[in-house]
Amino acid sequence: MSEVGVGHYLTLSAILFTIGAIGVLTRKNAIIVFMAIEIMLNAANLAFVTFAMSIGDLGGLVMVLFVIAVAAAEAAVGLAIIVAMYRHRETVNVEAFTAMRG
Amino acid sequence: MNPEIQELLVAYRVVRPALFPVLPAAVLTLFGLLALLVDVFELGRTRGPAEGETGTPIMAPYLALIGTALALGCVGWQAARLETAGGPYFSGMVVLDGFGVFLSGVVLAGTLLTLLLTIGYCRRHDIHLAEYYHLILMAAAGMLIMVLAGNLITIFVGLELMSVGVYVLTGFRRTRLRSVEGALKYFVLGAFSTGFFLYGMALVYGAAGTFDLAGIRDAVSVPPASPVLLAGVALLIVGFGFKVALVPFHMWSPDVYQGAPAPVTAFMATGVKTAGFAAFVRVFMSTFDGLADQWIPVLWALAVLTMVVGNVAAIRQDDIKRMLAYSSIAHAGYLLVALIAHSDIGTAAFLYYMAAYTLMTMGAFGIVIVLGEKGTENTSIERDYAGIAWRHPLLAAAMALFMFSLTGIPPTAGFVGKFAILSAAVNSGHVPLAVLLVLTSVISAYYYLKVVVSMYMRASEREPIRSQVPAMAAIALLIAVVGVLGLGIFPGQWVEMARASVVAVTGLP
C-alpha cells in the first residue's frame, strides 16, 4: 500500500472536474446541471488545497474561501432563475426552453 | 477631541493613500447600496411585484447616474495623478496603471450611457425597481476591479461580482419567457466557464506557486514550461473565451443578447466585453509574456474562427439584437488580433478600439432601445426598421452612422480603430490575419448596410412606431454620435492617449 500523496489528490480532482463537465453537457434537468457545475467548482477547490499544501503557501486556502462564497451567491441566483423557469413552463428540463434559435 | 476619534483619524490618514486606486469602485458600491436603501424609505409609493404594474418613478436612477458620474470624475483624477500615484497597491492585488485607468474610463462611459438609456426604457415598460440600478452599479464595480486587478484572485472576484449581477439583469423581465431563457443560458454557460477559469487558475497556481500576476511572470519566464502550466493557460483561455464570446465558446451569446432587456444587452456588449478583454490582455501580455510562442498559435486559430463565424452567422439574422450579438462576436475577433500582434502598438490599438467599439455599439443599441414601444421592443430589421428614415430622420441618420462605424467606413471611429489593429498586425508579421480581418469586414458590410437599406429604401408595412425619445436617451445618443465622429475625424489625440496609457503601465512593465 503506497501512501496517499499529491498525485492522488490531483487525479481525484481531475476526475471530479471531468465528471462535472460531462454532467453539464449531457444532463437535461436544470438542477442536475447546476449540481454538475458545483462539482466542477469543488474539483477546483480540491486542486487549490492540494497545491497550497504541497507548495506550503496560504494563498490557495484563501482562494478556496473566495470560491465557496462566490458559489453560494451563484447558487442563490441560479436557483432563483430555475424557479422563474418553472413558473413559465412547469418544468425544469432545459430542452423545453428553446424560444430563441439560429 | 475624543482620543478614539483621533485614533480613527490617524488610521484613516494611513489607509487613505491605499484607497486611491479603488476609489471609483468604492463610489459605485456606495451609491449602489444607497439606491437600495433609499428605495426602502420611499414610503407611500406603489411597488409593483413585477413589471407592467403601474408604479411610481423612483430615486434610484438618479442616484445611480450621480454615482457613475462621480466615479468617472475619480477616474479622471487617477489619470491626472498617474505619474506619482501609479503602481501596485494592496500588496499587488490591485495595480494602478495607464492601461487600467484608460479602460476604467471606457467601462464607466459605457455604464453612464447604459443608465441614460435605461431610465426611459424602464419608464416605458414600467420597471420601477431600485434593484435594477443597484445591480448595474455593482456589476460596474466588478468590472473596475477586473480592469485594475494585479492578482488572479482579484480578477476572479471582479469577474464574479460582474457576472452574478448581469445574470440577474438578463432575467430581470421575469414575466417574459425570453428574458428568463436568456438568463438560464447565460447562467449555466457562465458558471460552466467559471469552472474552467478556476481550474486553470489552480493549475497555474500549482506551477507558479503564487496568484500574483508579476510573481507568476517571474516563475514562468524560465523555460521549459511544465505541462501543468500549459494546461492551466489553456483552461484560462477557455474561461476568458466564454466571457468575451470567442468562437467556439460563443453559443450562449446570441440567445442571451436577444433575450435580455435591450439596455442590459448594451451593457453586456460593452462593459462585460471590455472588462473581460482587459483581464485577458493583461494576463497574456504581461504575465504569460514568456509563453507567447505557445499561446499565439492557439489565439490565432480562435481569432480566425471568431471573425469568420461571427460575420457569416450575422448575415442570416433578422432580429437586430441577435445581429448585433453576432457583430459583437466578430468584433471580439478583431480585438483578439490586436492581442495577437503582441506589441505595444497592438495594445494601444486594442485600447483605442475598445473605446470606439463601446461608443458605436452603445449608440446602435441606443437606437434599438429608443425605437421600442410598450410591450414590444420592435427588433425585426425587415419589418420594424423599414422606412424608419421618413418618420424618424435623425434616429435613422444616427443609426446609419453607427452602422458605418461598425463596418469600418471613414470618417468614423470604427475605421481608425480597424486601421490601428491592421497596422499593428502587419507590424508584427501577421499579414494573413490582417487580410482575413479586411475580408471579413467586407462581409460585415452586407448585414450592417442591410439595416441602412431597410431604413432608407423600404416602405413600411406596419403601423408607424410611436416613439418619443426621452431627453436622457437623446443625451446618450448625442454623446455616442459626437464620440464616434470625434474619434474618427480627430483621432490623433486619442491614439496618442492610448499609446501613453500603454507606456504608463507601471506595475507590470
Side-chain angles (χ1 to χ4, degrees):
Chain A
M1 276 280 283
S2 61
E3 203 168 307
V4 178
V6 171
H8 294 90
Y9 285 115
L10 289 181
T11 313
L12 174 63
S13 125
I15 293 171
L16 282 175
F17 186 80
T18 317
I19 290 173
I22 293 174
V24 173
L25 296 173
T26 56
R27 301 307 289 263
K28 300 299 168 210
N29 184 313
I31 292 176
I32 307 280
V33 168
F34 186 52
M35 268 171 58
I37 290 171
E38 292 289 314
I39 293 175
M40 288 172 75
L41 296 187
N42 283 311
N45 278 347
L46 183 57
F48 278 125
V49 174
T50 311
F51 281 128
M53 296 322 273
S54 75
I55 298 166
D57 178 68
L58 277 178
L61 303 180
V62 174
M63 186 65 212
V64 170
L65 291 179
F66 278 102
V67 176
I68 291 172
V70 163
E74 274 192 349
V77 168
L79 291 174
I81 292 173
I82 293 173
V83 170
M85 275 172 72
Y86 185 81
R87 287 203 178 156
H88 278 284
R89 288 278 159 93
E90 305 247 316
T91 169
V92 290
N93 187 331
V94 289
E95 285 184 334
F97 292 84
T98 48
M100 296 172 289
R101 282 180 169 276
Chain B
M1 203 191 294
N2 192 326
E4 280 170 8
I5 294 179
Q6 245 164 358
E7 254 173 58
L8 271 178
L9 276 176
V10 171
Y12 170 72
R13 275 194 208 103
V14 175
V15 173
R16 196 187 54 184
L19 292 177
F20 187 60
V22 292
L23 202 56
V27 169
L28 287 180
T29 312
L30 189 73
F31 274 82
L33 295 175
L34 211 59
L36 274 189
L37 194 68
V38 167
D39 189 55
V40 175
F41 290 104
E42 280 187 271
L43 297 173
R45 76 181 193 84
T46 34
R47 186 187 156 90
E51 69 164 289
E53 313 226 344
T54 316
T56 327
I58 45 176
M59 291 268 289
Y62 304 103
L63 281 173
L65 267 181
I66 296 168
T68 313
L70 277 179
L72 205 54
C74 290
V75 169
W77 187 26
Q78 287 180 339
R81 285 198 51 206
L82 198 58
E83 277 191 19
T84 49
Y89 285 79
F90 296 108
S91 19
M93 282 284 180
V94 172
V95 177
L96 187 69
D97 57 10
F99 180 82
V101 172
F102 187 97
L103 289 173
S104 297
V106 172
V107 163
L108 284 174
T111 311
L112 194 68
L113 293 180
T114 306
L115 286 170
L116 286 171
L117 291 165
T118 289
I119 292 172
Y121 179 89
C122 285
R123 277 236 172 105
R124 182 183 308 135
H125 295 284
D126 277 326
I127 305 171
H128 300 293
L129 296 171
E131 289 86 342
Y132 190 95
Y133 301 94
H134 168 76
L135 287 167
I136 287 187
L137 290 192
M138 298 315 272
M143 289 168 193
L144 292 185
I145 291 170
M146 255 183 111
V147 161
L148 292 175
N151 188 304
L152 286 177
I153 297 183
T154 343
I155 294 184
F156 174 72
V157 171
L159 179 78
E160 286 305 308
L161 183 54
M162 169 182 88
S163 301
V164 172
V166 180
Y167 299 150
V168 182
L169 283 171
T170 304
F172 208 85
R173 301 184 70 186
R174 62 189 164 83
T175 50
R176 309 243 143 191
L177 175 62
R178 288 189 171 193
S179 185
V180 173
E181 185 181 323
L184 174 74
K185 287 177 178 168
Y186 195 25
F187 170 75
V188 168
L189 287 166
F192 189 51
S193 76
T194 302
F196 281 96
F197 188 82
L198 271 179
Y199 210 78
M201 263 178 77
L203 295 182
V204 169
Y205 171 67
T210 172
F211 287 112
D212 189 60
L213 292 185
I216 296 172
R217 187 191 51 212
D218 296 340
V220 304
S221 57
V222 197
S226 68
V228 173
L229 178 67
L230 290 179
V233 174
L235 288 173
L236 284 182
I237 292 178
V238 174
F240 279 124
F242 266 109
K243 277 295 157 209
V244 302
L246 300 177
V247 178
F249 314 113
H250 70 294
M251 350 34 128
W252 58 272
S253 109
D255 289 350
V256 174
Y257 279 35
Q258 189 183 352
V264 175
T265 314
F267 190 51
M268 264 193 281
T270 57
V272 173
K273 198 153 280 204
T274 308
F277 256 114
F280 196 2
V281 168
R282 192 190 285 278
V283 168
F284 281 82
M285 284 298 290
S286 65
T287 307
F288 296 139
D289 198 40
L291 302 173
D293 292 341
Q294 273 91 9
W295 58 255
I296 283 183
V298 179
L299 293 191
W300 199 92
L302 288 179
V304 169
L305 275 174
T306 307
M307 287 191 287
V308 171
V309 173
N311 280 306
V312 170
I315 289 178
R316 292 184 294 123
Q317 307 305 328
D318 180 52
D319 186 289
I320 191 151
K321 278 161 90 185
R322 217 175 164 78
M323 183 276 268
L324 286 170
Y326 280 110
S327 136
S328 92
I329 293 171
H331 285 270
Y334 307 151
L335 286 161
L336 201 53
V337 174
L339 170 57
I340 293 168
H342 193 249
S343 62
D344 281 355
I345 313 172
T347 311
F350 161 76
L351 290 178
Y352 182 88
Y353 201 82
M354 210 71 242
Y357 168 80
T358 296
L359 282 171
M360 57 204 188
T361 306
M362 211 42 149
F365 276 112
I367 305 282
V368 174
I369 292 165
V370 166
L371 284 177
E373 287 171 294
K374 188 173 171 66
T376 166
E377 286 190 340
N378 291 332
T379 50
S380 165
I381 298 174
E382 293 282 330
R383 182 176 44 114
D384 301 323
Y385 282 72
I388 286 280
W390 313 123
R391 278 189 306 277
H392 304 287
L394 281 178
L395 290 183
M399 188 60 157
L401 175 74
F402 299 134
M403 291 295 130
F404 288 147
S405 184
L406 284 166
T407 320
I409 295 172
T412 54
F415 167 73
V416 183
K418 265 187 194 154
F419 185 80
I421 290 181
L422 282 175
S423 63
V426 172
N427 242 315
S428 307
H430 292 290
V431 177
L433 218 48
V435 171
L436 191 75
L437 200 163
V438 173
L439 287 179
T440 49
S441 295
V442 172
I443 300 177
S444 79
Y446 176 80
Y447 59 84
Y448 289 131
L449 297 184
K450 194 168 84 175
V451 178
V452 179
V453 167
S454 183
M455 288 189 307
Y456 280 92
M457 299 175 192
R458 292 242 167 77
S460 177
E461 282 164 13
R462 49 157 289 166
E463 58 194 273
I465 294 175
R466 292 178 308 280
S467 168
Q468 291 155 336
V469 183
M472 297 239 188
I475 296 171
L477 288 174
L478 196 67
I479 295 174
V481 167
V482 170
V484 165
L485 281 176
L487 255 66
I489 298 174
F490 309 108
Q493 180 193 351
W494 297 98
V495 171
E496 211 41 60
M497 200 172 171
R499 290 228 178 99
S501 299
V502 178
V503 175
V505 177
T506 46
L508 301 161

